[in-house]
Amino acid sequence: MEGSQWNIAEFKPEALVAALKAVAEPTRLRILMLLKSGELNVKDLTQILGQSQPRLSRHLKLLTEAGLVERFREGSWVYFYVSDRTEGGKLAHALMRMADTSDAILQLDADRAIDIKAQRQASSQEYFETHAGDWDRIRALHIPEQAVEQAMVDIIGPGPFDTFIDLGTGTGRILQLFGDRFAYGVGFDVNQAMLSYARSKLASDGILHAHLRHGDLYNIPLSTAEADVVVMHQVLHFLSDPQRAISEAARVLKPTGQLLVVDFLPHELEFLRDEHAHERLGFSTAAIEDWCRDAGLELKRTKALPMAIKAKGHETNDGLTVSLWCAERAPAIAAGMRPVGSNAELEEI
């Protein structure tokens, strides 16, 4: 993790003093060590540490005020984590390197955290398996996912990327796929159960530099021009206003960033609309290109992956065709723009 490379001596004395005061209390050090291994909510911490919610909330407030811990709300729950991007987070990682990880209490905390995450993963897996039949039926209609994923890897390129955003992350598979190509990743989804599944899956795979957030694709809680890559994998057909979603995705792209949309070309499988909540039955390249242009992007690369289905002794392309569209900011726009504050528009210079 990037934060582990920082030296205590590099931090301002006042920040270091505040941080040391914050972790001087044993429970707060225990909390910090737990959050090093992934995001946890107050309920998780009460179960692991055996302390009351008000007491733990107070400790978390002090750690947050010291800048060592960050928080975000997901529905009615609030999650806490140690960032590896902020100065406070880097300081926290430097402090944690000094802790005695062989301490019996810290080891017991870690074991309990593993049990909590295993319970969460089992619950999320149950949801996933309940709906897996629907996804398997759709997957049977198009080229295998391995081929789609390989095409995605090829079209985006090797990176490395500083910030990677996955919109409509679902199971978190795309963050897992590109996990070795980005320094910091965030997956957004509106489905709480899917976020829970993705969070447990990424944690079990040791992908701690990818985070999951509840978020509206029409109003992404990110700064303008923050992302190197934005991916929308099989999400556009669920949206009532796909053009607006592409425009919002374009907003968070850096001038040198790229947007990858993966979805179906136009088809006539009405059952997907009736049974699986598909708002749109595929998209034409012309439509995607127009929406990208309106958002200040230029479509650079496309790739169609048709499904050949054997029927009556011969092959036919009656299945779904997956298409990849990769866009970048139009050169004239990128040259005349600069990033400004959070959720602001790009300004001309």
Side-chain angles (χ1 to χ4, degrees):
M1 182 179 292
E2 180 184 351
S4 64
Q5 304 302 315
W6 284 69
N7 190 298
I8 285 288
E10 299 178 13
F11 297 97
K12 295 179 181 178
E14 58 270 25
L16 183 55
V17 170
L20 289 171
K21 286 182 178 179
V23 299
E25 204 282 335
T27 297
R28 291 199 284 275
L29 176 60
R30 292 168 67 188
I31 291 173
L32 205 59
M33 294 299 290
L34 285 168
L35 296 180
K36 179 181 70 170
S37 300
E39 301 163 346
L40 295 170
N41 57 47
V42 177
K43 180 181 177 182
D44 295 332
L45 291 169
T46 59
Q47 292 178 317
I48 295 168
L49 299 174
Q51 299 186 22
S52 68
Q53 180 173 332
R55 179 179 175 84
L56 288 175
S57 295
R58 173 63 178 166
H59 286 313
L60 288 164
K61 182 175 186 292
L62 292 172
L63 288 170
T64 303
E65 289 175 347
L68 301 176
V69 166
E70 293 190 70
R71 52 172 280 164
F72 67 93
R73 180 172 293 278
E74 186 175 290
S76 60
W77 289 358
V78 176
Y79 281 86
F80 295 84
Y81 68 104
V82 180
S83 173
D84 59 353
R85 303 213 305 168
T86 65
E87 289 300 308
K90 292 167 184 173
L91 177 52
H93 285 294
L95 289 173
M96 286 186 288
R97 290 205 311 276
M98 302 168 64
D100 180 9
T101 55
S102 65
D103 180 86
I105 294 178
L106 294 181
Q107 288 185 340
L108 182 59
D109 288 344
D111 291 341
R112 288 174 176 167
I114 291 172
D115 290 341
I116 291 292
K117 291 178 180 179
Q119 293 171 21
R120 182 191 296 165
Q121 184 168 359
S123 176
S124 301
Q125 182 68 33
E126 182 180 352
Y127 170 88
F128 180 75
E129 290 174 352
T130 299
H131 295 81
D134 294 339
W135 295 321
D136 288 343
R137 183 183 178 191
I138 296 173
R139 288 192 185 105
L141 297 170
H142 64 75
I143 195 168
E145 279 298 310
Q146 297 93 318
V148 176
E149 290 178 357
Q150 184 59 56
M152 293 175 67
V153 168
D154 292 342
I155 204 168
I156 285 182
F161 309 109
D162 288 334
T163 304
F164 184 100
I165 306 300
D166 183 24
L167 300 180
T169 193
T171 65
R173 171 56 188 162
I174 301 307
L175 291 172
Q176 181 188 43
L177 177 65
F178 288 95
D180 62 347
R181 300 191 180 202
F182 60 77
Y184 177 76
V186 185
F188 292 95
D189 208 294
V190 295
N191 188 307
Q192 301 281 6
M194 292 306 296
L195 283 172
S196 180
Y197 175 83
R199 184 172 287 113
S200 62
K201 187 70 171 67
L202 291 175
S204 66
D205 291 339
I207 304 176
L208 302 181
H209 59 304
H211 305 271
L212 285 306
R213 300 288 182 267
H214 185 268
D216 181 355
L217 273 60
Y218 298 132
N219 186 23
I220 306 167
L222 292 174
S223 300
T224 293
E226 183 173 348
D228 297 280
V229 175
V230 176
V231 174
M232 305 177 76
H233 173 251
Q234 297 292 11
V235 65
L236 215 59
H237 58 250
F238 287 113
L239 304 180
S240 58
D241 192 349
Q243 181 177 8
R244 181 181 166 196
I246 285 180
S247 179
E248 177 66 355
R251 179 188 67 78
V252 303
L253 272 183
K254 292 179 180 178
T256 56
Q258 52 184 325
L259 168 67
L260 176 62
V261 176
V262 182
D263 220 294
F264 301 125
L265 286 178
H267 61 84
E268 297 181 358
L269 301 181
E270 287 286 345
F271 82 90
L272 293 178
R273 194 197 309 273
D274 299 334
E275 301 176 22
H276 300 286
H278 287 207
E279 290 275 350
R280 304 290 294 269
L281 299 183
F283 304 91
S284 67
T285 294
I288 298 293
E289 187 171 19
D290 286 345
W291 294 340
C292 286
R293 185 184 301 113
D294 290 344
L297 303 179
E298 184 176 329
L299 194 60
K300 291 289 189 178
R301 298 175 294 282
T302 65
K303 185 176 182 65
L305 303 172
M307 174 65 165
I309 300 176
K310 290 187 176 181
K312 298 180 180 179
H314 66 280
E315 289 192 348
T316 176
N317 290 335
D318 289 339
L320 295 168
T321 296
V322 176
S323 184
L324 290 77
W325 299 278
C326 191
E328 300 173 6
R329 191 161 300 286
I333 295 176
M337 301 290 182
R338 63 178 175 85
V340 292
S342 176
N343 291 321
E345 296 298 325
L346 288 172
E347 291 184 340
E348 294 188 23
I349 46 179

